[in-house]
Amino acid sequence: MSPTTTFALDLDAPRREVTHPHGIAVKLHGNQLIFPAELPADALEPILSDELDLVGLFGDVLQSSDGDSVGTNEVLVALFKRPSLPRKFLAAVKETYAVLMDAEYDEEGKLLDGQFKDFLESKPSVPDYVRLTMGLTRLYGVELGKLFSSADSSESDSPTSKPTSPTTTTDSTHEVPGFVPDNPDSSASDD
């Protein structure tokens, strides 16, 4: 390749490591946790596993709603068809955090000392998991709903279909409780 090659896409260019060079620091129950600056692809494997089958669950829920808005009844019916799902989902969430926190195990499968062990020993609550997941999801720029939607669920075959707005509304969405934006000074007033 010549030294004057211009890349249309340069995946070696500085990424989130520029704003979080030492990882994403999170404080939880007095502990400091460090998450990778970029979301590792293998961190999603537990959530997207065939055994958990969240895609199948969402497909069943959407199919049972016949195009109408999804209600509690559809979700409950789909969940009752999968009684082990809540337990499997919790295990997948923990496994995802084990990947994110670089958990290490000995030969017998016992968790070794490290930040993941500290995290589990702090006994995170369900709201802790929700706030942590929402905050990290926002920082990583991952929209979980898009991961689980079917490829054709938001597509239109109509040639006249146009986006409703050329811009996104990300800046107008509500903040996640406990979430600290990348640049806290950007929202400070000059009073």
Side-chain angles (χ1 to χ4, degrees):
M1 230 180 244
S2 73
T4 59
T5 302
T6 304
F7 296 98
L9 182 63
D10 183 359
L11 296 180
D12 291 334
R15 298 173 296 195
R16 193 172 320 281
E17 287 88 356
V18 173
T19 57
H20 301 288
H22 305 291
I24 297 170
V26 173
K27 185 177 181 180
L28 178 68
H29 300 285
N31 293 324
Q32 177 179 319
L33 306 170
I34 303 294
F35 290 88
E38 292 278 328
L39 179 65
D42 56 340
L44 294 176
E45 286 180 22
I47 300 293
L48 299 176
S49 73
D50 290 339
E51 182 182 338
L52 189 59
D53 193 29
L54 286 181
V55 175
L57 170 73
F58 289 129
D60 287 352
V61 168
L62 291 174
Q63 199 170 40
S64 69
S65 68
D66 293 328
D68 296 329
S69 62
V70 176
T72 306
N73 188 45
E74 288 87 0
V75 173
L76 289 175
V77 167
L79 281 174
F80 282 125
K81 289 180 182 177
R82 297 167 176 85
S84 64
L85 181 66
R87 188 176 68 260
K88 287 179 181 178
F89 181 74
L90 181 57
V93 168
K94 284 183 179 178
E95 190 177 336
T96 295
Y97 279 104
V99 170
L100 288 172
M101 291 186 236
D102 246 352
E104 293 185 41
Y105 301 88
D106 66 13
E107 304 83 37
E108 295 150 9
K110 183 179 177 187
L111 181 62
L112 297 173
D113 288 340
Q115 72 171 355
F116 184 62
K117 186 174 183 181
D118 294 342
F119 171 73
L120 292 178
E121 287 175 353
S122 75
K123 300 202 182 299
S125 65
V126 171
D128 288 337
Y129 275 108
V130 171
R131 285 189 297 267
L132 182 57
T133 302
M134 295 298 289
L136 288 173
T137 298
R138 187 176 195 131
L139 282 170
Y140 287 137
V142 176
E143 293 183 43
L144 295 178
K146 288 186 179 180
L147 289 175
F148 297 119
S149 63
S150 63
D152 60 351
S153 65
S154 62
E155 306 252 341
S156 172
D157 292 333
S158 169
T160 59
S161 176
K162 294 180 184 172
T164 56
S165 171
T167 60
T168 62
T169 58
T170 321
D171 294 335
S172 65
T173 58
H174 296 289
E175 294 294 327
V176 175
F179 171 74
V180 179
D182 284 345
N183 184 3
D185 295 332
S186 67
S187 61
S189 72
D190 296 313
D191 292 338

